Amino acid sequence: MAGADQILPRVRTALRTRLVGLPWVVAAGTAPVVAWEGVVWPPPDAPDWARKPYLREQLKPNVHQTFGLGAAKPVRTSGLYLVDVFLPQAAAESLGLGDDITGQVLVRFAADTILVQDGTAVTVRKVYPSPPVLSPPWVQRPVTVEWFADAINAV
C-alpha cells in the first residue's frame, strides 16, 4: 500500500481512468470532452466546444483518519469526486442526452465498485445525481461519487 502522502494522486488517477472509459453514445457518435481539474478550459484548440456536451471533474478529499498511532498504521482517506455533465440546453431538452450521459456516469461509478491504481484500492461508497441546474445556454447535471481508500501511514 502507498503512504498517505502518495494516496491522492493514485485516487485521482483511478477515478479519472474510470471516467474516460464511459461508453459514450452522444449525438452522431461525438464523445464529450472532459474539463480536467487544474487544466485551462475551454481548450484553445476546440473552438466549437460550446456546442458539444462535456464533463467537468473535481476531486475533493475530505478526511484522513488514522487507525492507531505511529508508523505502519492504516490511514483511511475519503472524499468526493464531483462529475458535472454539461449539455447545450437545446440538446438536453430535445434529445434527452442529460439522462443518458448522467446514467452512464452513475452506472460506471456504482456503489461498491473497487478501482485499483498502483496497488491502491479506491472503493466507491455511494454515487448519486443532483437535480439539473439550468444556466443558459447550458444544463448542468451534477453527479457526486463518495469514495474511500486505505493506505499505511509512512510516518
Side-chain angles (χ1 to χ4, degrees), residues 2 8 24 28 37 44 63-64 70 93 106 128 138 141 146 148 154:
L8 289 179
W24 299 115
E37 184 174 20
V63 175
H64 290 293
E93 293 171 354
L106 292 169
Y128 51 90
W138 296 101
R141 304 288 302 263
E146 294 182 16
F148 69 88

Side-chain angles (χ1 to χ4, degrees), residues 127-154:
V127 61
Y128 51 90
S130 295
V133 177
L134 181 60
S135 182
W138 296 101
V139 174
Q140 176 185 356
R141 304 288 302 263
V143 176
T144 301
V145 178
E146 294 182 16
W147 58 269
F148 69 88
D150 295 327
I152 299 298
N153 190 358

Side-chain angles (χ1 to χ4, degrees), residues 54-115:
Y54 72 95
L55 304 175
R56 178 179 66 194
E57 57 94 46
Q58 296 177 312
L59 181 66
K60 301 294 183 188
N62 189 6
V63 175
H64 290 293
Q65 181 179 9
T66 304
F67 299 98
L69 298 174
K73 298 296 181 187
V75 176
R76 174 163 288 175
T77 302
S78 61
L80 304 175
Y81 187 55
L82 308 177
V83 178
D84 295 307
V85 179
F86 285 91
L87 299 114
Q89 189 174 349
E93 293 171 354
S94 66
L95 302 175
L97 288 178
D99 292 335
D100 180 47
I101 297 172
T102 302
Q104 289 181 32
V105 173
L106 292 169
V107 167
R108 191 83 172 148
F109 290 97
D112 299 321
T113 297
I114 298 173
L115 312 171

Side-chain angles (χ1 to χ4, degrees), residues 11-12 32-34 38 41-42 48 75 83 90 93 98-99 124 131 135 144:
V11 167
R12 182 183 305 278
V33 294
V34 179
W41 184 260
D48 61 344
V75 176
V83 178
E93 293 171 354
D99 292 335
V124 175
S135 182
T144 301

